[in-house]
Amino acid sequence: MRTQVAIIGGGPSGLLLSQLLHSAGIESVVLERRSRDYVLSRIRAGVLETGLVDLMHEAGVGDRMEREGFVHDGTLLANGNEQFRIDFKALTGRHVMVYGQTEVTRDLYEARDAAGGTVIHECRGVKPHDLDTAAPFVTFLHDGKVNRLDCDFVAGCDGYHGPSRQEIPTAERTEYEKTYPFGWLGVLSETPPVADELIYANSERGFALCSMRNDSLSRYYIQCDLSDSPDDWTDEMFWDELKRRIPEEAADRLVTGPSIEKSIAPLRSFVCEPMRWGRLFLCGDAAHIVPPTGAKGLNTAASDVHYLFNALRHFYHDRDDEGLEKYSETALARIWKTERFSWWFSSLMHRYPDQSGFDLRMQQAELAFLRDNEAAQKAMAESYVGLPY
Ligand code: APR
Ligand code: PHB
């Protein structure tokens, strides 16, 4: 089997890259370890930057998002019982789109099907070879036999646990990591959202977030201990704790109901440098992770895909390899700025187990500064709606 670009991983990065390449007449094959149902059962954040919204349109998959997504012109930040708003539209002239990552992935799968694209599910032992030559290939087990996929380039879109990153020799690779001393307990419920916009809350009992998927589907999170298990938390305990962390007027309006999903995610910041080795190019979670505060995971994946897609397009259409040569540098410059934002926003909104009195005063002063200073709000809003590509 031969293709131009072999894509390892059929999450949002791999599928979006494949669909964009198709729109430019470049062939690709996606190799995914799991079944499609499994990929579509993963629940992730759902706030899209304008850059990703534009990419979805460029890939020809923006119609349902435009119909069913929700434009948010601002967000609410709560500190105890106090609340203020960051007005994205007034501060930046832009907005974000609330549309679940699961829906983005579903739309991409449907578009790949409609275009006759090849996505091979349940591949085992996926392994790239000869990445430092002009003729790399990928081997994998599928339907009980070993297959070989020859290609010009390999895109490593296989997430944090995927094998692609490990192909960069350890002597050439540096990994930067920070773990946070808490997790997020998330609940999805078939209830109307408590507010029209998201509420990020810093309370003395810890962080809470009120988010949503649509008018009748809400997503809530509370900061929890890393040692907690979702089974430790009944729905009633979750709702009680959430209500104690958000402003009273919101708590009074909150409509509760049975959870249809409940899970705990740890918080981590991670970056691998470089993002390219020979003919291997890493995209998305394979190269970097952000803590979920600010919902940048999918959006950072999208900016990588944007840079890699354009670099490949110039290579195939114009015989220009400058974008490929500069891919790692260009992608990382934006990634680090988004890492900074996610780390800053996480540090601002959570309570840390070892937080001193001074640390707490600094956090409170930073929140007060943000509430009162338009320049600080503008800086925050620019990162939230997405830095330019
Ligand atoms: N072979 C083939 N596929 C693999 C392998 C492997 N050995 N290992 C992992 N994969 C697949 C996973 O099953 C998954 O479907 O790669 C895909 C990676 O998808 P994601 O983890 O969703 O990563 P990415 O596409 O970069 O999307 C980034 O998704 O994970 C969230 O928080 C993240 O929102 C961000 C976005
Ligand atoms: C979500 O809806 O899941 C979500 C929204 C915003 C975040 C994180 C997660 O910052």
Side-chain angles (χ1 to χ4, degrees):
M1 211 188 327
R2 187 180 156 82
T3 191
Q4 290 174 300
V5 184
I7 298 176
I8 306 179
S13 301
L15 295 169
L16 182 59
L17 178 64
S18 176
Q19 184 63 15
L20 285 165
L21 290 172
H22 167 78
S23 73
I26 302 164
E27 282 172 23
S28 65
V29 168
V30 176
L31 305 174
E32 166 57 49
R33 189 161 68 107
R34 304 284 192 168
S35 67
R36 180 187 293 214
D37 285 349
Y38 182 93
V39 173
L40 288 174
S41 69
R42 290 192 290 230
I43 296 179
R44 301 268 166 77
V47 179
L48 315 191
E49 295 176 351
T50 330
L52 173 51
V53 168
D54 293 347
L55 272 182
M56 293 280 286
H57 285 300
E58 197 177 344
V61 290
D63 289 354
R64 190 163 73 97
M65 173 188 70
E66 285 301 333
R67 280 197 315 275
E68 297 178 15
F70 294 82
V71 167
H72 282 206
D73 289 329
T75 192
L76 300 165
L77 298 189
N79 185 15
N81 223 3
E82 248 192 49
Q83 186 169 289
F84 60 99
R85 180 166 184 264
I86 306 286
D87 188 333
F88 305 144
K89 196 170 172 197
L91 293 158
T92 69
R94 291 156 67 204
H95 57 252
V96 289
M97 174 78 88
V98 169
Y99 188 63
Q101 178 172 320
T102 313
E103 305 312 313
V104 169
T105 312
R106 190 185 306 280
D107 293 345
L108 286 164
Y109 268 127
E110 282 173 12
R112 292 283 57 220
D113 286 347
T118 311
V119 181
I120 306 178
H121 282 278
E122 303 186 29
C123 300
R124 294 281 148 173
V126 176
K127 166 99 185 129
H129 305 265
D130 292 0
L131 291 165
D132 53 349
T133 73
F137 62 98
V138 182
T139 52
F140 60 96
L141 261 175
H142 183 66
D143 275 348
K145 62 177 196 309
V146 180
N147 298 267
R148 172 177 167 139
L149 176 62
D150 288 282
C151 56
D152 302 327
F153 299 101
V154 178
C157 301
D158 45 358
Y160 179 69
H161 299 286
S164 296
R165 185 172 70 247
Q166 315 301 336
E167 293 295 327
I168 306 180
T170 42
E172 314 270 340
R173 173 161 45 104
T174 310
E175 296 185 348
Y176 300 88
E177 184 169 25
K178 177 181 172 65
T179 54
Y180 298 78
F182 38 74
W184 276 20
L185 169 64
V187 155
L188 191 67
S189 68
E190 285 168 328
T191 53
V194 69
D196 291 342
E197 293 178 342
L198 273 60
I199 306 175
Y200 290 90
N202 178 324
S203 91
E204 60 184 13
R205 300 181 66 86
F207 171 77
L209 169 61
C210 306
S211 181
M212 65 196 72
R213 293 292 174 268
N214 58 47
D215 289 339
S216 52
L217 192 59
S218 296
R219 182 72 167 155
Y220 295 102
Y221 299 93
I222 55 175
Q223 172 183 347
C224 65
D225 286 343
L226 278 171
S227 56
D228 286 5
S229 138
D231 302 334
D232 300 338
W233 288 85
T234 62
D235 288 354
E236 201 187 352
M237 283 162 70
F238 178 87
W239 294 121
D240 281 349
E241 188 59 36
L242 177 68
K243 284 185 186 170
R244 297 169 81 165
R245 297 185 186 195
I246 58 178
E248 261 168 45
E249 62 87 21
D252 290 345
R253 266 185 294 120
L254 183 77
V255 179
T256 63
S259 64
I260 56 172
E261 195 265 356
K262 195 186 284 159
S263 54
I264 291 184
L267 274 73
R268 179 201 307 272
S269 299
F270 172 85
V271 179
C272 162
E273 290 189 345
M275 287 172 60
R276 173 215 173 172
W277 190 72
R279 294 227 163 190
L280 170 71
F281 295 83
L282 302 180
C283 277
D285 277 21
H288 42 76
I289 300 283
V290 285
T293 334
K296 292 301 180 197
L298 176 62
N299 293 297
T300 47
S303 72
D304 294 348
V305 168
H306 161 85
Y307 293 126
L308 183 56
F309 163 59
N310 282 295
L312 288 165
R313 193 157 53 108
H314 285 301
F315 175 84
Y316 284 109
H317 293 180
D318 313 319
R319 288 284 135 199
D320 174 357
D321 66 359
E322 195 188 341
L324 291 175
E325 288 299 324
K326 292 207 172 134
Y327 170 71
S328 180
E329 198 186 318
T330 315
L332 281 166
R334 190 178 186 280
I335 290 306
W336 277 116
K337 289 182 195 158
T338 311
E339 288 282 345
R340 183 208 66 84
F341 172 71
S342 305
W343 158 83
W344 168 81
F345 199 23
S346 299
S347 310
L348 179 68
M349 300 308 291
H350 291 80
R351 292 298 169 106
Y352 286 68
D354 60 352
Q355 205 162 17
S356 68
F358 182 82
D359 295 340
L360 187 58
R361 285 289 192 279
M362 286 298 97
Q363 206 182 49
Q364 294 298 310
E366 177 114 21
L367 275 163
F369 182 63
L370 188 59
R371 180 194 61 208
D372 300 337
N373 187 290
E374 197 179 307
Q377 290 189 5
K378 189 164 192 287
M380 192 269 182
E382 281 177 356
S383 279
Y384 199 98
V385 300
L387 298 174
Y389 286 169

Coordinates of all heavy atoms in Angstrom, one line a residue, residues 29 248 274 281 295 325 330 337:
V29 N -3.6 8.2 4.5 CA -4.2 7.1 5.1 C -4.1 7.3 6.6 O -3.0 7.6 7.1 CB -3.6 5.7 4.6 CG1 -4.1 4.6 5.5 CG2 -3.8 5.5 3.2
E248 N -23.9 32.4 44.8 CA -25.2 32.0 45.3 C -26.3 32.1 44.2 O -27.2 31.2 44.1 CB -25.7 32.8 46.5 CG -25.4 32.1 47.8 CD -25.6 33.1 49.0 OE1 -26.5 33.9 49.0 OE2 -24.7 33.1 49.8
P274 N 12.1 18.6 19.6 CA 11.4 19.3 18.6 C 10.1 18.5 18.3 O 9.9 17.4 18.8 CB 12.3 19.2 17.4 CG 13.1 17.9 17.6 CD 13.2 17.8 19.1
F281 N 6.4 14.2 11.6 CA 5.9 15.5 12.1 C 4.8 15.2 13.2 O 3.9 14.5 12.9 CB 5.3 16.3 11.0 CG 6.3 16.7 10.0 CD1 6.7 15.8 9.0 CD2 6.9 18.0 10.0 CE1 7.6 16.2 8.0 CE2 7.9 18.3 9.1 CZ 8.3 17.4 8.1
A295 N -9.7 25.4 28.0 CA -10.1 24.5 26.8 C -9.1 24.6 25.6 O -9.6 24.8 24.5 CB -11.5 24.8 26.4
E325 N 10.6 22.6 6.9 CA 11.8 22.8 7.6 C 11.5 23.6 8.9 O 12.2 23.4 9.9 CB 12.8 23.6 6.7 CG 13.4 22.8 5.6 CD 14.2 21.6 6.1 OE1 14.9 21.7 7.1 OE2 14.2 20.5 5.4
T330 N 7.9 26.9 14.2 CA 6.7 27.7 14.0 C 5.6 27.2 15.0 O 4.9 28.0 15.7 CB 6.1 27.7 12.6 OG1 7.2 27.8 11.7 CG2 5.1 28.7 12.3
K337 N 3.1 29.8 24.0 CA 2.3 30.9 24.4 C 0.9 30.4 25.0 O 0.4 30.9 25.9 CB 2.0 31.9 23.3 CG 3.2 32.7 22.9 CD 2.8 33.7 21.8 CE 4.1 34.2 21.1 NZ 3.8 34.8 19.7

